[in-house]
Amino acid sequence: MPYPPPPRTPSGPRRRTLLASAAGAALLAGCSSGSGGDEENTSGSMSATARVRARAARDSSGLVERYDAVIAMYPALAERLAPLRAEVVRHTVAFGGSVAGPKTGSAGSEESASAATDAGTASASASPSGTPVPATPQDALVDLAAAERALADRRTTALLDVPGEPARLLASVAAAGAAHAYLLTEGAR
């Protein structure tokens, strides 16, 4: 007597197959970095890995500035944004960049925040750091989420240009950026 077919037949590959494939691909990527991690090739120009790391550090540093601008404009968001900003600072350092301290708490930023609130305009206001900040806290969170999402997408695309460990770092930071975007958008609802 034959066994009856399962009530639902999966249409694609099984989860175990996908996980095993992903793990195998990660192992192959880690084992196949041909240059041994050299930052420069024989002609003296920067390698693709060094360029990607430098760009990632600059991008993360710019994102920290955006967080600082929003926190300076809307101090009430500081407690909520501080952990996300701290993670972005760690990402900057991981890619070899550096970040100055936060530019919050100055009297000028409080005056700018009250002026932006009083004006009631929908256009972006300039923060003390020169980074444009949307006119409402909710719009500022949405803007930060969009910046995190766009940066995560660029980093995911850049994965094709780097081997091994730098690719894993880039993938990890891209995933963290996507999580930050989710947290920022869910909190804005």
Side-chain angles (χ1 to χ4, degrees):
M1 178 163 171
Y3 290 106
R8 183 179 145 268
T9 306
S11 60
R14 301 182 95 190
R15 187 178 341 176
R16 287 185 195 142
T17 305
L18 289 175
L19 290 174
S21 298
L27 286 173
L28 287 175
C31 294
S32 64
S33 66
S35 67
D38 292 337
E39 291 295 316
E40 295 186 10
N41 62 21
T42 56
S43 67
S45 65
M46 289 179 64
S47 70
T49 301
R51 283 191 304 271
V52 168
R53 286 180 69 95
R55 169 131 192 211
R58 280 192 313 272
D59 289 345
S60 290
S61 181
L63 192 56
V64 170
E65 288 177 7
R66 289 181 89 145
Y67 272 98
D68 288 344
V70 170
I71 290 170
M73 189 66 78
Y74 304 110
L77 295 175
E79 183 178 337
R80 177 175 175 193
L81 296 179
L84 300 177
R85 181 195 179 276
E87 285 297 314
V88 176
V89 168
R90 284 188 205 102
H91 299 162
T92 304
V93 172
F95 288 120
S98 62
V99 176
K103 300 173 186 173
T104 60
S106 68
S109 66
E110 291 171 7
E111 291 170 6
S112 297
S114 64
T117 304
D118 293 340
T121 61
S123 64
S125 303
S127 71
S129 67
T131 305
V133 177
T136 66
Q138 291 78 18
D139 289 343
L141 292 175
V142 169
D143 186 57
L144 277 174
E148 286 271 16
R149 193 174 299 109
L151 188 53
D153 291 345
R154 275 198 312 268
R155 288 178 172 161
T156 302
T157 302
L159 283 172
L160 299 173
D161 298 333
V162 293
E165 191 61 33
R168 285 188 285 279
L169 175 62
L170 203 58
S172 175
V173 173
H180 289 181
Y182 173 79
L183 291 172
L184 287 165
T185 55
E186 284 303 306
R189 290 183 183 180

